[in-house]
Amino acid sequence: MKNIIELNNKDAKAFFLKSSSYCKLELPQYYKFENVLKGVGKKMGKNSLPHFFATNRTKSKSFRPQDFDEVNYMFLNNKDGKYAWRPFQLIHPAIYVSLVKTITQKSNWDLIVNRFAMLHSNPKIRCLSMPMLSEDRRHDQVSSILNWWENVEQKSIELALEYSQVVHLDVTDCYSTIYTHSISWALHTKAVAKPNENKKSLLGNIVHEHFQWMSNGKANGIPQGSALMDFIAEIVLGYADEQLGQFLDANGITDYQILRYRDDYRIFTNSNKESDAIIKFVSECLAELGMRLNAQKTVISNDVIRTSIKEDKFFWLLHKNYSIQLDKQLLIIYNLSEKYPNSGSLVKALNAFYRRLLKVVKTPKNINCLASITVEIVSKNPRVYPVASAILGQLLTLQNDDQDKLEHSIMSKLSSLQNNGHLQVWLQRMSLKKPLQMVYSEPLCKVVENPFSKIWESSWLNAEMKQLIEKNPIVDLEALGKMDETISPKEINMFEY
């Protein structure tokens, strides 16, 4: 696997324009964004995006995207099954392609790569969350997950040989609080960027303008949901790393090691005094960029090995059992979901259960119990929507008697969940060959029913570019027609490839 900054500008551009880079949210395989992105890029050519702004004839000037609402498509996803909502966004294709073209222009890309070399020059502060490119058939996100295991968890365990204490820090709502002017500070240094805030040719200012286009002119927050946004977040967080290293050097603190994976910090020290000082400096560096630490997620521990592995992983290693009856296995998974909601281990456990369920031929006697437990897990764990939809679909297939009654009970419970658009997407996939008793209100579902349904607000574009986007479907109808009734494990588990 390759780090994104190891690529040349052309390969980096190709990486960012992949469908899986544009949208990291788990969607059925028939959603494909490459065609609309390539179409926009071809149409744009060497022109800048304002060349395609529509003319406002009443004011004799061009429309601006920041004067329109819902330029990006926002998709609310629940973080904890309760009250914490995370907005994922599908960035307007014209703005997204324009931003990709801007940062991957050779001179700009060279500037960014050279700047990252400086931001990452302190060997005691390691960034381990740069977007990764798979060099084989595996999904790029698999490379990122393997990178987490090899360079974060395993490295953390190794550091127990050198350090007696570890501090875990987390940034509160990182992406939504990033001050977009700080992108320019990170790229050019604050000394250069501040006096040149109005210089339109400065790369940082051009990037900042793109964010204003997609967010009603606001200067706070970047969208979440794409590899491009992860990359830009790393520019700002890398700048915070650089500032932190300078603070620590100036105060004579040298006995430490910091591993940062996006907005999560692991700080290894040998004394409370050094830990407290580093926490203070991290807070100050982040505050300058409009961010703050989540006090509730701050953990200080002298058990470096134990806290290096996520608690849900430890729990599942001790409790998993694939040889017992299906209902007992699912009850153990239910217990896991109650102790560690929305965890990676929960997704892994349900995937294993689904693979086992696919081998069942006869209708289980307790099939309604299996459905009830699965629905209960779904209602509190949005992260499991894809695999849970697959499980429910298979249970309905196995139910020979009163299938309509079971389906009605499942749909009644699931339709009552708030902001369940992502779940609707997967229930629609589950029911392609056997329609459910459900009306889909989610716009991404309507695109499957009518490929030319509107997703993005494009009234600020001229007629030609607007029509290109609206007439370029994001659903691959050929792939849609080839979908099997049963959801394949490969569709919901990237490690199956």
Side-chain angles (χ1 to χ4, degrees):
M1 53 187 173
K2 275 189 174 181
N3 187 315
I4 181 69
I5 56 175
E6 296 179 277
L7 304 180
N8 62 39
N9 65 304
K10 292 181 179 179
D11 289 341
K13 180 180 177 181
F15 171 80
F16 287 128
L17 291 178
K18 291 198 298 185
S19 187
S20 58
S21 297
Y22 171 75
C23 176
K24 292 177 63 182
L25 186 68
E26 285 186 274
L27 296 175
Q29 292 177 346
Y30 44 78
Y31 287 97
K32 296 183 180 179
F33 300 94
E34 277 104 337
N35 285 342
V36 67
L37 297 176
K38 288 179 180 177
V40 169
K42 184 177 180 180
K43 185 68 181 174
M44 199 173 288
K46 295 183 179 180
N47 295 303
S48 64
L49 184 55
H51 177 81
F52 300 94
F53 288 177
T55 301
N56 184 343
R57 301 190 184 282
T58 59
K59 296 184 178 181
S60 299
K61 61 179 183 180
S62 295
F63 282 113
R64 304 184 308 165
Q66 60 262 49
D67 296 329
F68 291 79
D69 296 326
E70 300 177 351
V71 170
N72 291 350
Y73 175 68
M74 186 176 292
F75 194 104
L76 278 178
N77 201 26
N78 196 285
K79 292 171 66 175
D80 60 0
K82 296 179 181 178
Y83 311 111
W85 296 94
R86 172 184 291 163
F88 283 95
Q89 294 188 42
L90 297 178
I91 299 173
H92 193 286
I95 299 177
Y96 184 88
V97 171
S98 176
L99 183 53
V100 169
K101 285 167 66 73
T102 296
I103 68 171
T104 58
Q105 182 189 20
K106 189 174 187 315
S107 58
N108 291 339
W109 187 249
D110 289 345
L111 184 155
I112 291 170
V113 170
N114 290 334
R115 186 64 179 126
F116 265 119
M118 296 178 67
L119 297 178
H120 294 168
S121 61
N122 187 338
K124 288 185 171 292
I125 304 177
R126 295 185 58 195
C127 165
L128 302 170
S129 47
M130 295 295 289
M132 305 298 293
L133 174 68
S134 175
E135 295 184 274
D136 53 30
R137 291 180 61 252
R138 292 180 298 186
H139 196 288
D140 291 329
Q141 284 182 256
V142 172
S143 296
S144 295
I145 293 169
L146 293 175
N147 179 51
W148 164 270
W149 165 240
E150 294 171 6
N151 291 313
V152 179
E153 289 191 332
Q154 286 191 335
K155 183 62 178 177
S156 296
I157 293 171
E158 289 176 20
L159 287 171
L161 290 169
E162 301 176 50
Y163 300 98
S164 60
Q165 189 172 96
V166 61
V167 179
H168 294 260
L169 302 177
D170 178 82
V171 181
T172 299
D173 297 327
C174 178
Y175 283 48
S176 63
T177 57
I178 289 177
Y179 181 50
T180 54
H181 273 300
S182 66
I183 298 168
S184 195
W185 305 349
L187 287 174
H188 309 289
T189 73
K190 205 169 186 180
V192 172
K194 289 283 281 185
N196 291 287
E197 279 190 2
N198 297 319
K199 186 177 180 180
K200 293 187 176 181
S201 61
L202 201 67
L203 175 59
N205 293 341
I206 299 172
V207 174
H208 165 71
E209 185 179 39
H210 278 75
F211 285 113
Q212 288 191 306
W213 286 341
M214 64 178 82
S215 60
N216 296 114
K218 296 176 184 175
N220 283 91
I222 68 173
Q224 194 165 355
S226 69
L228 179 62
M229 294 301 105
D230 292 342
F231 181 72
I232 290 174
E234 287 299 341
I235 295 174
V236 177
L237 291 166
Y239 177 65
D241 293 343
E242 181 185 53
Q243 297 297 301
L244 175 61
Q246 292 171 1
F247 267 122
L248 298 178
D249 288 346
N251 287 272
I253 298 175
T254 58
D255 187 22
Y256 70 93
Q257 179 70 58
I258 297 174
L259 306 181
R260 181 179 61 76
Y261 191 91
R262 208 154 293 142
D263 57 354
D264 293 320
Y265 292 80
R266 296 184 177 202
I267 301 167
F268 300 84
T269 68
N270 283 307
S271 74
N272 290 332
K273 182 179 178 181
E274 288 180 333
S275 294
D276 291 343
I278 294 174
I279 293 172
K280 175 179 178 291
F281 289 134
V282 171
S283 297
E284 291 176 357
C285 291
L286 292 173
E288 184 182 354
L289 303 172
M291 294 179 278
R292 60 187 176 85
L293 293 175
N294 186 338
Q296 294 181 332
K297 290 189 176 182
T298 297
V299 175
I300 303 175
S301 175
N302 291 319
D303 190 343
V304 176
I305 291 177
R306 178 79 186 197
T307 54
S308 292
I309 304 298
K310 290 186 176 182
E311 289 186 21
D312 63 285
K313 184 178 287 188
F314 257 123
F315 178 87
W316 191 240
L317 284 171
L318 296 174
H319 291 85
K320 65 181 179 181
N321 189 335
Y322 300 133
S323 61
I324 56 177
Q325 294 176 339
L326 283 172
D327 57 342
K328 291 180 180 178
Q329 182 183 354
L330 197 54
L331 281 171
I332 293 175
I333 295 173
Y334 174 76
N335 186 37
L336 170 66
S337 76
E338 291 290 296
K339 285 182 174 291
Y340 303 103
N342 248 19
S343 62
S345 293
L346 177 59
V347 177
K348 185 176 181 179
L350 284 172
N351 272 295
F353 177 82
Y354 181 54
R355 288 194 298 272
R356 190 176 172 197
L357 184 65
L358 287 174
K359 298 176 182 178
V360 174
V361 178
K362 295 182 179 180
T363 303
K365 293 180 180 179
N366 53 0
I367 192 167
N368 286 359
C369 290
L370 296 176
S372 180
I373 297 169
T374 303
V375 168
E376 191 63 25
I377 293 172
V378 170
S379 67
K380 299 177 183 177
N381 299 275
R383 188 173 178 180
V384 307
Y385 287 165
V387 62
S389 297
I391 291 170
L392 291 172
Q394 188 62 12
L395 290 174
L396 286 172
T397 297
L398 290 170
Q399 174 63 294
N400 296 321
D401 301 322
D402 294 327
Q403 187 182 78
D404 289 344
K405 182 179 179 181
L406 178 59
E407 179 188 318
H408 177 75
S409 298
I410 292 172
M411 292 305 113
S412 295
K413 184 75 178 278
L414 296 182
S415 61
S416 66
L417 299 178
Q418 291 186 339
N419 295 314
N420 65 350
H422 191 208
L423 177 58
Q424 286 188 41
V425 166
W426 280 100
L427 291 176
Q428 185 184 46
R429 162 62 191 99
M430 178 191 87
S431 62
L432 287 177
K433 306 294 184 181
K434 46 180 186 297
L436 296 173
Q437 305 166 26
M438 187 171 184
V439 177
Y440 300 107
S441 58
E442 167 55 43
L444 285 179
C445 292
K446 293 180 179 179
V447 172
V448 175
E449 298 167 351
N450 176 10
F452 303 114
S453 295
K454 179 180 175 181
I455 293 293
W456 301 281
E457 172 57 70
S458 299
S459 299
W460 49 276
L461 287 169
N462 65 26
E464 202 169 356
M465 182 66 86
K466 180 173 179 287
Q467 186 177 38
L468 185 152
I469 292 170
E470 292 179 348
K471 298 300 182 183
N472 226 315
I474 61 172
V475 171
D476 184 329
L477 298 179
E478 183 179 353
L480 180 65
K482 291 180 179 179
M483 289 286 111
D484 291 332
E485 178 178 337
T486 301
I487 297 177
S488 164
K490 289 184 178 181
E491 292 185 61
I492 55 174
N493 184 1
M494 62 188 75
F495 280 94
E496 293 282 348
Y497 280 87

